Amino acid sequence: MSTEELSTAGPAGADGGTARVARLTDGLPAAARRVLAETDWDSFRHAYGPAGDTPGHLCSLVDEDPEVRSGALAALDMSVLHQGTLCAVTAPVTLFIAAILDHPPGHAVHEGHFPWDDGPPRSLRAALLAWLAYVATAAAYGEAPVPDRSDWRWAPWDDGTPRERTPEERAALDACRTVRPALYEAVEPHLSSPDPHVCDAAVGAALPLLSAPGLGDRIPRAAALVRARLSTVTDRRARAGMARALAVWRADTSDLLTDPDPAVRVCAALGPDPVDRPRALAVLLGALRDPRTTDGWFTEPLAGLEGWFRFTVLRSALTLAQSFEEVAPVALAIVRADGASVVDFECGPILRRAFPDGHAPARPMTAAQRDLLRAFLDTEAADGLGRLVPWLRSVGLPETREGIAALLR
C-alpha cells in the first residue's frame, strides 16, 4: 500500500493528509513498514467490513497525540478483535504491533479510550502487550484436548468440543496460530522490563503463547527471565502474575509459598503440580477462608483469568486436594455463606469434588458428603434446588429436596 493510499485509509489526526502519514510511516521500524507494504489490506475484512482502514489505525498508534493513539488502539480492539473474535486481518495486525513494541512511542503514557478504562496509568507498550495477550488467548481457545478442571468456567456437561467454524473463521484462527512464534520472540524481551506494568503485560501474553504446540521448549528460558525479574519488582500485581506464570510452567515455587504477600503466595500455589503440595493446598484454603479479601487483591483480573479471583483459587484447591475431606471444612463454609456463594462457580464444583466417582446407592456416603448435602438443603431455596440441579444430575444424586432428604435419613 502506498503512502498516498495510507493517507486515506484511516484517521487523519490533527494535521492530516499525506505528510502526516509519510512522517509516521517513515519513522517506523523496518519490520512494521514491511507489514504495511506487503499486506493486501483491502482483501481482508474485520468485524465491521473491509479492512482497508486498518493501516491508518496502525499508523495512528505512534501519533504524537495521546488521544489519537488511544483511539487507534480502541478501534483495533473493536474491529480486529471484536469481543475476542479473531478475523482475517488479525494476524497481520499482530505482526505490526509486535514490530513496534520497541518503538520509542511505546514509552508514552497510554490514555484509556472508554469510560471503563480507569486502571492505573501505563505505557502504550503495556497496552499493546495486553492486546497481544487477548489475541493469543483467543487463538489458544479450544486447543487443549481435555477441559482444564481447575478453570473456574469448567462444567461437567461441557466436553470441550468447540463449535464448528466457518472456513473464514478457521482461516483466521490458523493464521493467528501460525504467527505465535514470531509474537513470542517480540514479547520475550519485555519479561525483563524495568516497568512493572510492561512486565506484567508481557507475562500475560507469554502464558497463552507458550501453551501453543511447538513452543514448550521456550518455557525454561521464560521462567528464568521471570524468576530473575521477580526478585527485583515490588508491584503486587506484577509479582503475583509472575508467581502464577512460574506455577503454570511447573517451575518450583516452594519458596514463594512463604512470601510476605498473601497474593503472591496464592498465585505460587495455582500450578498443576506444586513441589510442596500440602503447603500449597494450605495456602489456597487460607485464602478461601476470607474470600472477599482475596477478591479484593486485584482491581482487574490477572491476565488469562476472568470472574472473581476466589473462583480460580477454589477450583485449584479442589483439584489439588487428594480427598474431599482435605477441603471439606472450607467448602462447607462457602456453601453456608448466607446464600452468597455462586452455584456454577462454587457450589457445583464443590459437589463434584465431594462425589468424584458419582453417587452409588449401594455405596454408603461419608460423613463429609452427608454434611455437604445437609448444607445444600439448609441454604438452597425452599421450593427447590434451582441451578444446582444439573450438578446433582452429573453425579447421580436426586434432583429434588425430598430425594436428598430421603438419602440423609
Side-chain angles (χ1 to χ4, degrees):
M1 179 173 284
S2 68
T3 298
E4 287 75 14
E5 290 171 319
L6 279 171
S7 69
T8 61
D15 54 340
T18 302
R20 169 185 171 273
V21 171
R23 172 172 47 78
L24 293 175
T25 304
D26 289 345
L28 290 172
R33 294 200 304 272
R34 281 196 301 272
V35 173
L36 287 177
E38 296 174 4
T39 302
D40 184 4
W41 299 99
D42 291 326
S43 69
F44 291 116
R45 295 181 65 84
H46 53 50
Y48 297 107
D53 60 344
T54 302
H57 292 304
L58 294 177
C59 288
S60 293
L61 288 172
V62 297
D63 193 276
E64 298 90 344
D65 187 334
E67 291 188 5
V68 172
R69 293 195 303 268
S70 177
L73 186 57
L76 295 179
D77 189 49
M78 291 186 293
S79 62
V80 178
L81 193 64
H82 181 67
Q83 296 181 352
T85 301
L86 304 174
C87 56
V89 78
T90 307
V93 168
T94 60
L95 290 175
F96 178 92
I97 289 179
I100 66 169
L101 285 177
D102 289 326
H103 199 40
H107 293 292
V109 174
H110 170 66
E111 295 188 0
H113 182 79
F114 300 108
W116 53 85
D117 290 339
D118 56 356
R122 59 178 178 168
S123 66
L124 176 64
R125 180 171 294 125
L128 294 176
L129 283 164
W131 191 85
L132 289 178
Y134 291 133
V135 173
T137 299
Y141 181 75
E143 200 166 32
V146 179
D148 180 2
R149 296 190 179 201
S150 64
D151 186 327
W152 66 274
R153 294 161 295 189
W154 177 81
W157 48 86
D158 181 5
D159 62 4
T161 302
R163 67 174 180 81
E164 186 174 348
R165 294 182 172 90
T166 65
E168 293 78 13
E169 290 172 333
R170 170 53 63 181
L173 178 61
D174 289 344
C176 288
R177 288 179 173 177
T178 298
V179 301
R180 287 185 293 193
L183 298 184
Y184 180 71
E185 288 297 324
V187 167
E188 186 185 76
H190 301 287
L191 296 174
S192 303
S193 172
D195 182 334
H197 299 300
V198 169
C199 192
D200 177 48
V203 168
L207 277 167
L209 288 171
L210 293 182
S211 72
L215 289 183
D217 62 335
R218 318 284 183 93
I219 289 177
R221 174 173 167 79
L225 291 171
V226 168
R227 171 63 82 167
R229 183 67 179 96
L230 180 60
S231 65
T232 60
V233 71
T234 58
D235 179 79
R236 162 178 270 185
R237 179 186 177 86
R239 296 188 73 241
M242 291 176 187
R244 174 174 169 261
L246 292 171
V248 170
W249 292 333
R250 291 179 163 83
D252 185 356
T253 58
S254 300
D255 60 316
L256 298 176
L257 297 176
T258 58
D259 192 89
D261 190 329
V264 175
R265 295 198 298 269
V266 167
C267 285
L270 293 178
D273 48 8
V275 172
D276 189 345
R277 188 200 72 85
R279 179 170 289 182
L281 180 58
V283 166
L284 297 176
L285 294 178
L288 291 171
R289 291 187 180 94
D290 188 6
R292 300 304 179 261
T293 296
T294 299
D295 282 339
W297 286 338
F298 310 111
T299 56
E300 296 179 19
L302 293 177
L305 301 180
E306 298 176 3
W308 293 111
F309 187 52
R310 71 179 189 272
F311 298 160
T312 294
V313 177
L314 175 62
R315 288 295 183 105
S316 295
L318 296 176
T319 302
L320 198 56
Q322 293 180 341
S323 69
F324 180 64
E325 281 68 19
E326 280 193 295
V327 297
V330 169
L332 287 171
I334 291 173
V335 171
R336 291 168 174 157
D338 298 325
S341 57
V342 182
V343 169
D344 285 341
F345 304 136
E346 293 178 301
C347 295
I350 287 171
L351 179 67
R352 287 284 298 192
R353 186 63 190 86
F355 293 87
D357 301 316
H359 167 65
R363 185 170 60 238
M365 288 189 294
T366 66
Q369 290 172 331
R370 297 176 69 87
D371 288 344
L372 178 64
L373 295 184
R374 288 192 188 93
F376 284 136
L377 291 182
D378 291 342
T379 57
E380 289 295 309
D383 59 347
L385 295 172
R387 295 183 64 181
L388 192 62
V389 167
W391 294 91
L392 292 165
R393 184 181 305 131
S394 75
V395 296
L397 282 165
E399 300 172 18
T400 65
R401 295 178 61 85
E402 294 76 15
I404 296 293
L407 285 181
L408 297 176
R409 292 191 188 114

